[in-house]
Amino acid sequence: MKCISKRLIILSAFFCIFLGGCGSNLKNEYDVLNTSSSFGLGENAYLGFAQAFSSDLAVIEDNIYNTAVDDSLSEAALIVCLDDNTVNFSKNCYEQLYPASTTKILTASIVVETCDNLDDTFTISENALDLEYGSSVCGFNAGDTVSVRDALYGLILRSGNEAAIALAEYTSGSVDAFAELMNEKANYTGATLSHFVNPNGLTNEEHYTSAYDLYMIFKNALENEDFYTIITADSYTAEYTDASGSAVNAQWTTTNGYLSGSYSAPDGVTVLGGKTGTTSAAGSCLVLLSESASGKRYISVVLNAASHSDLYTQMTQLLETES
């Protein structure tokens, strides 16, 4: 586990963005202050750049507990108001953890930003279906011709792992090339505690993030209108063709328990959208966008809850802190 101050995160993010010094291996990212003399800058100079870079981000120096939230229900959790950057709860927000399918927030963000036309079509490859047993899928088969838009809805609503691979291949030609984009994009958002090797979040020891990084990645992704439309949908009807040219209609509903009606948000809180994730290694995870009765918007993150029940219990408690 690695837990560091927001100050060091911002400093390393500054060097990634402005000095172009980031590679794909992020594990030694936090030696910025130790190398300051090589750039001819003192610590105060770093802080000036950091303050400018972080002006629209919540700054969290330590755990922030709230009596309304049972902090034992997950490994890490966070809720941040997007309007004023206040933090109502934070536990282990910088701890590196497996993200499971919350990874697909970053995948979708990259695809919508790089694709000129979401109605462009492509063919699902055999490779996209080469998944570990029990993987969540949206039902595509090799040879299906689908639009980018349909694949994105399958990716987010049904958490389709084959859709993630297919979109990575469409965007970059291969999963490895797409993973490079993922790490570049993560660094751009300031998410320097993260490293990604695949577009779907299936467990890999080199694939990890933190609650704070997911907050930054999600916040950045929400700036894109297409991404916002997809992440806030509760259902979608896809229309594509199979390998024989026959039409296929698929109706998908979200895995988000609040939008599907399986769980209820607290009175006065509207859940707008988000992304779930579950693997045996990552536990139950959820990244959420919500709005309070006063109109303030919040991003909340829960990582590595022991069960779906614990996940939604704690997430509901986090939502109850909204004002």
Side-chain angles (χ1 to χ4, degrees):
M1 297 188 296
K2 184 186 292 183
C3 187
I4 64 172
S5 74
K6 176 64 174 64
R7 169 178 156 188
L8 292 185
I9 294 176
I10 294 299
L11 293 180
S12 69
F14 161 74
F15 280 102
C16 290
I17 296 169
F18 294 99
L19 298 182
C22 285
S24 60
N25 186 350
L26 307 182
K27 289 191 173 180
N28 298 316
E29 197 65 39
Y30 302 100
D31 60 353
V32 177
L33 292 178
N34 293 331
T35 59
S36 59
S37 60
S38 65
F39 291 95
L41 296 172
E43 184 172 329
N44 290 337
Y46 286 107
L47 295 178
F49 287 122
Q51 288 167 358
F53 178 72
S54 64
S55 60
D56 65 341
L57 293 172
V59 177
I60 306 170
E61 295 291 345
D62 204 351
N63 290 336
I64 300 170
Y65 293 114
N66 188 306
T67 56
V69 181
D70 182 352
D71 61 273
S72 71
L73 294 177
S74 70
E75 182 69 21
L78 173 70
I79 182 166
V80 178
C81 178
L82 293 177
D83 296 274
D84 56 21
N85 294 326
T86 56
V87 181
N88 293 349
F89 181 90
S90 174
K91 175 193 174 184
N92 297 337
C93 72
Y94 302 124
E95 183 176 347
Q96 291 175 328
L97 297 167
Y98 294 126
S101 287
T102 63
T103 297
K104 291 163 185 168
I105 292 171
L106 180 57
T107 299
S109 176
I110 292 170
V111 173
V112 297
E113 289 178 3
T114 58
C115 180
D116 292 331
N117 185 353
L118 297 189
D119 293 319
D120 285 348
T121 60
F122 64 96
T123 301
I124 304 295
S125 70
E126 290 280 0
N127 181 64
L129 304 178
D130 185 16
L131 302 167
E132 64 184 52
Y133 177 78
S135 288
S136 61
V137 295
C138 51
F140 293 137
N141 293 306
D144 288 348
T145 299
V146 305
S147 70
V148 177
R149 190 184 310 277
D150 283 353
L152 283 166
Y153 275 100
L155 174 80
I156 296 300
L157 269 67
R158 295 311 306 158
S159 206
N161 288 327
E162 87 277 37
I165 299 297
L167 285 166
E169 292 176 337
Y170 165 80
T171 302
S172 301
S174 71
V175 167
D176 288 345
F178 190 80
E180 292 182 9
L181 281 184
M182 296 177 76
N183 290 309
E184 290 172 8
K185 176 66 174 177
N187 279 321
Y188 173 79
T189 68
T192 54
L193 276 171
S194 301
H195 187 251
F196 301 96
V197 298
N198 63 59
N200 49 34
L202 291 177
T203 303
N204 184 299
E205 65 179 10
E206 294 300 319
H207 189 101
Y208 48 83
T209 189
S210 70
Y212 191 84
D213 278 12
L214 283 173
Y215 148 70
M216 289 192 287
I217 290 168
F218 194 37
K219 182 178 186 296
N220 175 269
L222 290 169
E223 296 174 4
N224 183 282
E225 183 177 352
D226 289 320
F227 177 89
Y228 182 87
T229 298
I230 295 167
I231 205 73
T232 57
D234 57 11
S235 63
Y236 180 77
T237 300
E239 299 179 355
Y240 56 96
T241 58
D242 63 18
S244 69
S246 299
V248 179
N249 290 320
Q251 180 72 35
W252 296 321
T253 55
T254 181
T255 59
N256 184 325
Y258 293 109
L259 294 186
S260 69
S262 299
Y263 296 88
S264 298
D267 290 342
V269 174
T270 301
V271 172
L272 301 173
K275 185 71 195 76
T276 59
T278 306
T279 65
S280 58
S284 295
C285 308
L286 179 59
V287 179
L288 211 64
L289 174 68
S290 59
E291 185 174 76
S292 69
S294 64
K296 292 182 178 180
R297 292 193 170 191
Y298 293 78
I299 288 176
S300 46
V301 181
V302 174
L303 296 180
N304 196 16
S307 65
H308 275 57
S309 176
D310 284 354
L311 170 69
Y312 283 98
T313 295
Q314 188 177 69
M315 182 61 79
T316 298
Q317 292 172 351
L318 291 174
L319 298 180
E320 287 173 344
T321 71
E322 296 185 11
S323 59

